[in-house]
């Protein structure tokens, strides 16, 4: 019996508009992006994932009565918000575009994806080193937290002080020192870091202005004379991010500090709901990019159980994981999992998603799942797993399992033969295992 305590659903700060109103505001922010996404989805060869090709740009500007600059901005926003997907030179409507008019949650998720990508929407200042820009992006959540806690306009000088303080803390955490400081540490700086150029107040001010303008461009805040204020959408989004951190801090199973593999093993015997809570807690304590990379690295390993659980955790990540999941379609051991993930991401019912797999892919997945059960489950589960095979009969299953080439085929068949109570069927399975092992027909 689980002694896990359920955390009551948190309520947004007082004064936060209801979700339908937040979704209306998000639709207004992305109105041009939605128009361009509809146009691109119906236009032949609109361009590549780079900015629209010149001819397509002109066609879109004429058709939508927008300036070329507005089309470029809307195109980028549509891509970042998941409204369109690019497959080669063909733009297809993303699942959010199909759900845009009827699903407030899809709208808000799309806007949050744009909010998370604010630094891509607004080009960084020219002549500023990429490292300094990255530091500013990493420090911006502190700035947003102050804006959210203040519940009103905040003077820009206060935000600038906080940004500079946070960047200094980041340097200290990395054991970095400015040039000319801490010479006793040696000419190349401390062992775990190195000297970095001294920062200037002008650079910090430039980067803060860039960040505030970028956040304003996605509708997260408004800029006044010498102050900034979160919009209702921005206030809600920052609150959501803070709640994720709180969930991470309350991870009951202690998985937050574990590696992806250890975290997944810790979740293996949890029911789906509590497991998803653990995934969210672990993810909230990491950047999305590093978390997705770590989960996919685990999925490439030899443990089939961890492979399946890694993709369950990636379902919690959602849209941010889509490019990386799509990129592993060429990896034979990950392809069935990636296809199912993408089908569900694009709106397919989980019960129907299996239909997108080819017979060979479904058989490979059956063997992989059987390997996970054999390694970590009970023998009864392995016997019941026979019923999930697409072949319908054991002889047909054995024929296709022998041909699919899964590296664990022999071990799975041996384990199944040992577990099955029917002597005749067990004998047939053992014979198949022997044939695979010896390379016989």
């Amino acid at each position: 019996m689980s002694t896990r305590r359920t955390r009551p659903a948190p309520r947004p700060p007082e004064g936060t508009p209801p979700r339908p109103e937040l979704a209306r505001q998000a639709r207004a922010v992305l109105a041009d992006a939605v128009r361009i996404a509809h146009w691109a989805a119906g236009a032949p060869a609109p361009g590549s994932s780079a900015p629209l090709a010149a001819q397509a740009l002109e066609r879109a500007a004429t058709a939508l009565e927008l300036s070329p600059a507005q089309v470029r901005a809307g195109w980028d926003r549509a891509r970042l918000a998941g409204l369109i997907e690019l497959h080669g030179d063909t733009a297809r409507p993303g699942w959010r575009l199909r759900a845009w008019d009827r699903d407030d949650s899809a709208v808000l998720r799309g806007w949050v994806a744009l909010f998370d990508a604010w630094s891509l929407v607004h080009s960084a200042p020219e002549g500023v080193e990429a490292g300094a820009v990255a530091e500013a992006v990493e420090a911006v959540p502190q700035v947003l937290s102050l804006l959210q806690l203040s519940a009103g306009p905040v003077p820009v000088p206060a935000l600038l002080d906080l940004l500079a303080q946070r960047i200094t803390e980041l340097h200290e955490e990395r054991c970095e020192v400015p040039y000319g400081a801490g010479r006793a540490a040696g000419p190349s700086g401390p062992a775990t870091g190195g000297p970095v150029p001294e920062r200037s107040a002008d650079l910090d001010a430039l980067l803060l202005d860039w960040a505030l303008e970028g956040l304003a461009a996605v509708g997260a805040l408004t800029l006044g004379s010498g102050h900034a204020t979160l919009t209702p959408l921005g206030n809600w989004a920052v609150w959501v991010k803070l709640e994720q951190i709180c969930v991470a801090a309350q991870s009951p199973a202690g998985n937050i500090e574990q590696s992806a593999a250890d975290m997944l093993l810790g979740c293996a015997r949890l029911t789906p709901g509590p497991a998803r809570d653990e995934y969210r807690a672990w993810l909230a304590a990491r950047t999305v990019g590093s978390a997705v990379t770590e989960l996919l690295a685990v999925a490439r390993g030899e443990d089939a159980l961890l492979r399946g659980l890694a993709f369950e955790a990636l379902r919690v990540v959602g849209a941010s994981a889509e490019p990386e999941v799509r990129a592993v379609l060429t990896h034979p051991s990950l392809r069935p999992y990636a296809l199912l993930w993408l089908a569900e991401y694009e709106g397919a019912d989980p019960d129907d998603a299996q239909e997108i797999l080819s017979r060979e892919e479904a058989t490979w997945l059956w063997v992989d799942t059987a390997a996970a059960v054999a390694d970590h489950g009970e023998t009864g589960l392995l016997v019941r797993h026979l019923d999930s095979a697409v072949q319908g009969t054991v002889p047909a299953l054995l024929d296709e399992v022998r041909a699919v080439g899964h590296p664990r085929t022999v071990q799975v068949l041996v384990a199944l033969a040992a577990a099955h109570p029917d002597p005749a069927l067990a004998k047939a399975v053992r014979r198949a295992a022997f044939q695979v092992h010896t390379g016989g027909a």
Side-chain angles (χ1 to χ4, degrees), residues 2 41 44-45 84 134 158 172 181 304 328 343 400 438:
S2 173
I84 55 176
E172 292 173 350
V328 302
E400 295 187 31
T438 59

Side-chain angles (χ1 to χ4, degrees), residues 147 153-157 159 209 212 216 221-230:
L147 286 163
V154 178
V156 169
L159 299 175
D209 287 345
L212 294 179
L221 55 79
T222 57
L223 297 174
S225 179
H227 64 266
T229 309
L230 285 178

Side-chain angles (χ1 to χ4, degrees), residues 65 80 82 113 125 138 145 151 181 186 201 204 210 227 238 270 283 286 291 315 322 324 329 337 348 352 386 408 412:
E65 298 182 347
L80 293 170
E138 194 171 354
S145 295
D204 288 340
W210 165 68
H227 64 266
V238 176
L270 295 177
L283 291 164
R286 290 157 178 80
R315 285 178 172 83
E322 187 263 345
E324 287 80 2
L329 285 173
Y337 293 97
D352 299 331
L386 272 174
R408 295 291 305 280
V412 164

